[in-house]
Amino acid sequence: KAGVTQTPRYLIKTRGQQVTLSCSPISGHRSVSWYQQTPGQGLQFLFEYFSETQRNKGNFPGRFSGRQFSNSRSEMNVSTLELGDSALYLCASSRTGGGDYGYTFGSGTRLTVV
Amino acid sequence: GENVEQHPSTLSVQEGDSAVIKCTYSDSASNYFPWYKQELGKGPQLIIDIRSNVGEKKDQRIAVTLNKTAKHFSLHITETQPEDSAVYFCAASTGGFKTIFGAGTRLFVKA
């Protein structure tokens, strides 16, 4: 079966711009989580959506937002990009929420802010 | 707040030797402990997991142990091979939409 699909794979944006990243979970998975990964900070939790509702949120500024559609696909948006937003953004899907049966991760979107 | 500490941050072993990565969690309500392997250019992949009602679980060359009293759990890789080289993450979940990851261990297996 198809895995978690993230688009685009690579993105270069200018400081101050906004960006939208997309994630299609595994068929049948209703939960989508987003993580930011940087070399020195490991996996930082952004938010988790289950059945179109945000169920948990990490400690990121309001510039980071997300949503989930009725088909479980999810998007995350970062507005007013800063250089420090350069990172690998990972999406993870699971059948139930909270990752308590494990996550399946996508390959990520690498965002570079210049 | 809740956190998961992971050690060591870097581990270098000779091919064929064993590797052990240790994690400590703070939330006593944690009941699910997965381990993920991340290879270069890929997202993390679930390789083994254990629940709080089990003390040990094995899958071929990898095993995970859990000590709930001490809030410790460990990943053991025996007979390491070059393809085991990757970054490994431990995590602890309490259910209720809360999974916390460790900071990761970069494992190098020297041929």
Side-chain angles (χ1 to χ4, degrees):
Chain A
K1 65 184 174 184
V4 177
T5 303
Q6 289 189 248
T7 57
R9 285 297 309 276
Y10 303 92
L11 207 48
I12 299 175
K13 288 287 188 178
T14 303
R15 192 171 44 181
Q17 288 186 313
Q18 75 163 12
V19 66
T20 299
L21 311 182
S22 179
C23 172
S24 293
I26 288 175
S27 177
H29 284 195
R30 296 167 62 189
S31 170
V32 173
S33 299
W34 289 90
Y35 287 85
Q36 181 195 66
Q37 186 174 32
T38 55
Q41 298 296 320
L43 292 164
Q44 300 296 311
F45 173 70
L46 282 153
F47 27 65
E48 179 164 6
Y49 286 86
F50 183 82
S51 294
E52 301 179 66
T53 302
Q54 187 180 88
R55 301 304 180 108
N56 199 2
K57 188 176 188 302
N59 297 321
F60 278 81
R63 301 184 296 108
F64 292 81
S65 63
R67 58 178 177 169
Q68 186 179 34
F69 302 96
S70 58
N71 61 358
S72 293
R73 190 178 71 85
S74 178
E75 290 181 346
M76 67 163 281
N77 183 276
V78 188
S79 62
T80 320
L81 284 166
E82 300 177 359
L83 296 179
D85 297 334
S86 295
L88 180 67
Y89 289 87
L90 290 162
C91 164
S93 79
S94 62
R95 189 177 304 277
T96 62
D100 48 332
Y101 286 89
Y103 288 123
T104 301
F105 282 87
S107 294
T109 293
R110 184 163 298 281
L111 171 65
T112 301
V113 182
V114 298
Chain B
E2 298 88 354
N3 74 311
V4 174
E5 293 187 3
Q6 183 172 347
H7 299 281
S9 57
T10 304
L11 179 59
S12 183
V13 300
Q14 204 69 35
E15 182 178 1
D17 288 350
S18 295
V20 180
I21 303 170
K22 299 181 179 182
C23 289
T24 303
Y25 61 97
S26 61
D27 190 343
S28 56
S30 298
N31 55 20
Y32 175 66
F33 306 91
W35 286 87
Y36 293 85
K37 174 184 180 182
Q38 186 175 26
E39 299 177 64
L40 201 60
K42 298 182 179 180
Q45 179 186 6
L46 178 67
I47 56 172
I48 194 167
D49 56 14
I50 191 168
R51 296 198 179 271
S52 57
N53 58 346
V54 176
E56 183 176 1
K57 184 177 179 180
K58 287 184 179 180
D59 183 2
Q60 299 183 341
R61 295 186 298 108
I62 60 173
V64 58
T65 59
L66 171 65
N67 182 331
K68 282 215 71 177
T69 303
K71 297 182 187 174
H72 290 168
F73 59 113
S74 300
L75 177 70
H76 304 254
I77 306 175
T78 59
E79 301 174 22
T80 53
Q81 300 169 4
E83 52 264 39
D84 295 329
S85 295
V87 178
Y88 292 82
F89 293 95
C90 64
S93 172
T94 62
F97 299 96
K98 184 184 287 185
T99 292
I100 300 183
F101 284 84
T105 295
R106 186 172 296 276
L107 173 65
F108 296 97
V109 179
K110 296 176 287 186

